[in-house]
Amino acid sequence: MTHAAPVSPVDRAGLRQRIDKALTEFLAGQRGWLTAVDDGLLPVAEAIEAFVLGGGKRLRPAFGYWGYRGAGGVDSDQVVAALAALEFVQASALIHDDLMDRSDTRRGEPAVHRRFAARHRAAGWGGDADAFGDSAAILLGDLCLVWSDELLHSSGLPPATVARARPVFDEMRTEVTVGQYLDVLTQATADTSLDRAAKVARYKSAKYTVERPLLLGAALAGAPAEVHAAYSAYGLPLGEAFQLRDDVLGVFGDPELTGKPAGDDLREGKRTYLVAAALETLDEAGREALLAGLGVPDLDAAGVDRLRELITSSGALERAERHITALTESALAALTAVDLDTEARQALVDLAIAATRRPAGQPLPRAVPRLRSGRS
């Protein structure tokens, strides 16, 4: 049995520090460019620096890096810089997601649209402060997406290597964007099917969290087709398990760990796997009660507790935990089907466990088997 190692795979090979260094140096250059245009752009530079450098698990660059190393790629700071571009894709998605969900916070700090609305109010500027904040968030999210492209191309890798990885990078950014639209569409149409919830999770988060970063690393390494196939077989179920864990935390998580108020996903009316599974098994009265509270922006703590109880009593939480376990085990099994660098294989096993693990203090629902990590 293999267990997550004491040293996180994000920290091995000095990876986290190297990612942060690449991001810091790139952002310093962008700050200089912006402020040379106009002093009024300094808050833009500061906000993106705070967002990108002030938090984040660095999971996506880590999956990309260990995917690259697993395929025999030779370590270099240029590769790390290229994969750090994934953090700007993530920043873009989160800034836009918070705006669409009208979220107040992210990682315990004001969401970008709230930050700029507050700036507008404090300065006493004309017009609507919230509209200003919304506009700023749209533009900063777009800017992060532009910068993801720029960092990839300016990483120092040979143009032929970047060109080899380009199709993966492009498809990933298209997938996450259409996944966001499907999420908005699903909430508008009140589609509560498990199939729809799974598709939204797959395209909005799962693919660009695990599978595409792995395939990006494989492309940078010039990996053969069998490695790409194994990475997809590992990355797709693991990405869905990661998103399921995020969904569970969005309803039952500790705000100290999530950085968002408890029950925010319920107030935002997210049609997640948890909600779809609960609606599938609740009786008519239970379904009506869950739907009545779902998407109520000012739902109080007692209301959140009522919805949590409905989800738990329906068996949806236990079902989600079982599904996380099954998906993760399927992902880990895929790593045994291909020849990979030994250190990288172990890092990918440990990343899988880290990405889907239950936070300390969150109990395991009854009758849910504990995760077996498989062979490495």
Side-chain angles (χ1 to χ4, degrees), residues 15 18-19 21-23 25-26 61 64-65 68 73-86 148 150-159 161-162 165 216-217 220-221:
L15 186 56
R18 294 166 70 193
I19 292 167
K21 181 175 183 289
L23 293 170
E25 290 177 351
F26 178 82
Y65 175 81
Y68 171 82
V74 178
D75 189 15
S76 74
D77 289 340
Q78 290 77 22
V79 165
V80 172
L83 294 168
L86 292 164
S148 73
E150 187 173 340
L151 181 52
L152 175 65
H153 282 276
S154 65
S155 63
L157 289 176
T161 302
V162 174
L216 183 65
L220 290 172

Side-chain angles (χ1 to χ4, degrees), residues 182-376:
L182 287 176
D183 187 28
V184 172
L185 177 66
T186 298
Q187 292 189 58
T189 59
D191 188 334
T192 58
S193 68
L194 278 171
D195 285 347
R196 172 57 67 160
K199 180 175 285 189
V200 169
R202 186 176 310 121
Y203 283 92
K204 180 184 175 184
S205 179
K207 288 174 74 68
Y208 99 100
T209 297
V210 185
E211 186 203 20
R212 292 300 177 188
L214 283 165
L215 294 179
L216 183 65
L220 290 172
E226 58 265 27
V227 172
H228 285 257
Y231 282 171
S232 286
Y234 164 87
L236 279 172
L238 182 61
E240 292 189 37
F242 172 84
Q243 182 56 45
L244 265 176
R245 171 60 62 214
D246 194 59
D247 290 343
V248 170
L249 291 174
V251 175
F252 295 96
D254 181 349
E256 292 293 321
L257 297 175
T258 65
K260 299 185 74 173
D264 247 21
D265 280 5
L266 298 173
R267 296 185 183 93
E268 291 163 9
K270 290 185 179 293
R271 260 57 178 182
T272 63
Y273 179 97
L274 270 179
V275 170
L279 291 170
E280 192 175 73
T281 56
L282 286 168
D283 59 21
E284 185 176 353
R287 286 194 297 272
E288 289 180 357
L290 180 53
L291 289 171
L294 197 65
V296 176
D298 57 352
L299 190 68
D300 60 16
V304 168
D305 286 341
R306 285 194 299 273
L307 299 192
R308 284 173 168 165
E309 176 57 32
L310 286 168
I311 291 170
T312 303
S313 65
S314 74
L317 177 58
E318 181 176 334
R319 185 174 176 181
E321 293 289 351
R322 290 183 181 277
H323 200 35
I324 289 170
T325 299
L327 287 167
T328 306
E329 291 183 339
S330 174
L332 291 170
L335 293 179
T336 68
V338 66
D339 184 26
L340 299 174
D341 171 83
T342 302
E343 182 186 8
R345 185 196 303 275
Q346 185 60 53
L348 291 174
V349 169
D350 294 339
L351 274 171
I353 297 170
T356 59
R357 152 174 69 201
R358 186 176 302 98
Q362 182 178 327
L364 189 70
R366 290 182 182 179
V368 179
R370 293 195 177 275
L371 176 66
R372 298 188 309 275
S373 60
R375 295 183 291 122
S376 64

Side-chain angles (χ1 to χ4, degrees), residues 66-131:
W66 291 114
Y68 171 82
R69 291 282 304 277
V74 178
D75 189 15
S76 74
D77 289 340
Q78 290 77 22
V79 165
V80 172
L83 294 168
L86 292 164
E87 287 296 300
F88 285 110
V89 180
Q90 164 78 338
S92 173
L94 293 181
I95 291 169
H96 285 161
D97 193 50
D98 287 343
L99 172 60
M100 289 185 284
D101 291 340
R102 312 308 306 175
S103 298
D104 292 327
T105 60
R106 168 68 62 178
R107 300 168 182 160
E109 298 293 332
V112 168
H113 61 285
R114 300 298 189 206
R115 175 179 177 139
F116 277 85
R119 180 176 179 79
H120 183 288
R121 290 191 183 93
W125 293 334
D128 183 84
D130 289 331

